[in-house]
Amino acid sequence: MSKPLILMACSATKLGHPAPAQDFYQGVMWQSLRANAPGGQLPDVVVLSAMHGFIPGSRVVEPYDKLMTPVRARELEFDLEQFIESVDWPEDATRILLAGGGLYRYLMRRMVGELIRAGKLAGDLEISEVTGGIGLPRSQVGKFVRDPSALPVVHAGYHPNGTPLLRDAWGLRVGDRVRTTGQMAAGKSGPRFARVQELFMGPSGPTAGVELGGDRPPLANGKKR
């Protein structure tokens, strides 16, 4: 069974001396993370720091004072590729929690998308995100640490641009055999059969990415159209 991975946002409350990142931050989500870790054993933790970007939880951090602003988030967005190699990402992780505010979670989604593209994370992921106002994210982090299956899976991954990938939507599920219509690849037209590879909300609305599977009809139990 894969060890879960948590992407944690830094916090304004910090220790006044150098310490490993997973001990350095003292915000309420971090308190919940440590308090609920079974036997004090933390899951794999990668921190998104407003100062340092993505860093492993074991990295020693010096005291600093820097806020995550839209301008800083944009700067880090341009640097995502460097974090692919600078962090020892657990390649066997299939259950992930994104824990942080809106700007942090946006960058985390982008990072996960880049990692999938680079083969650093499996494409078959189960991803949860903290939601809600004061108190709820803290509780959700605690639940995830105690039992990763306690939180709903909201996404199956992300495109490199951060667009969430869905497991099922609009009557379809990833892996379904479907019948396509209209002009297709190689100049062929008319109905063909394919397998759903990904589902997401694209610029023009609900979108399904498919892999063409020839002109044979689906198996008897492939009822999706």
Side-chain angles (χ1 to χ4, degrees):
M1 176 179 269
S2 170
K3 191 176 182 182
L5 168 66
I6 300 184
L7 302 188
M8 287 280 290
C10 62
S11 67
T13 309
K14 308 173 183 69
L15 294 176
H17 56 80
Q22 59 198 29
D23 302 317
F24 180 73
Y25 298 102
Q26 300 295 303
V28 293
M29 286 198 302
W30 285 95
Q31 294 174 26
S32 184
L33 172 70
R34 291 186 287 265
N36 286 278
Q41 295 298 309
L42 295 177
D44 284 314
V45 176
V46 173
V47 182
L48 175 51
S49 160
M51 172 68 78
H52 304 291
F54 290 92
I55 57 174
S58 58
R59 174 173 161 177
V60 174
V61 179
E62 299 274 350
Y64 68 88
D65 185 16
K66 190 174 186 66
L67 298 176
M68 181 67 79
T69 64
V71 171
R72 180 57 179 155
R74 187 63 174 166
E75 291 172 350
L76 290 172
E77 190 173 6
F78 284 117
D79 291 335
L80 290 181
E81 286 193 10
Q82 79 177 49
F83 300 120
I84 293 176
E85 300 300 332
S86 65
V87 176
D88 187 16
W89 299 95
E91 297 185 16
D92 63 339
T94 58
R95 194 69 171 86
I96 300 176
L97 175 65
L98 310 186
L103 285 175
Y104 287 93
R105 293 202 312 278
Y106 169 73
L107 289 171
M108 290 172 180
R109 293 174 192 143
R110 287 289 320 275
M111 190 74 251
V112 171
E114 291 289 347
L115 291 167
I116 293 172
R117 180 187 61 80
K120 291 291 187 177
L121 286 178
D124 184 20
L125 298 174
E126 294 183 339
I127 302 173
S128 300
E129 297 188 15
V130 298
T131 59
I134 297 174
L136 280 177
R138 177 178 185 169
S139 172
Q140 290 159 359
V141 168
K143 285 182 179 179
F144 186 87
V145 174
R146 293 193 305 272
D147 177 11
S149 65
L151 295 185
V153 175
V154 294
H155 300 138
Y158 302 94
H159 279 300
N161 67 3
T163 299
L165 300 177
L166 310 172
R167 286 189 174 277
D168 54 78
W170 317 299
L172 294 172
R173 186 174 179 84
V174 171
D176 280 347
R177 293 287 300 279
V178 295
R179 184 193 299 268
T180 66
T181 59
Q183 188 72 26
M184 299 300 295
K188 292 186 177 182
S189 60
R192 299 186 68 191
F193 297 97
R195 189 173 299 278
V196 176
Q197 297 294 303
E198 56 186 24
L199 298 165
F200 58 95
M201 183 62 71
S204 300
T207 303
V210 301
E211 179 182 32
L212 295 177
D215 299 321
R216 292 182 299 173
L219 301 176
N221 62 354
K223 296 179 181 179
K224 295 292 184 183
R225 290 290 188 266

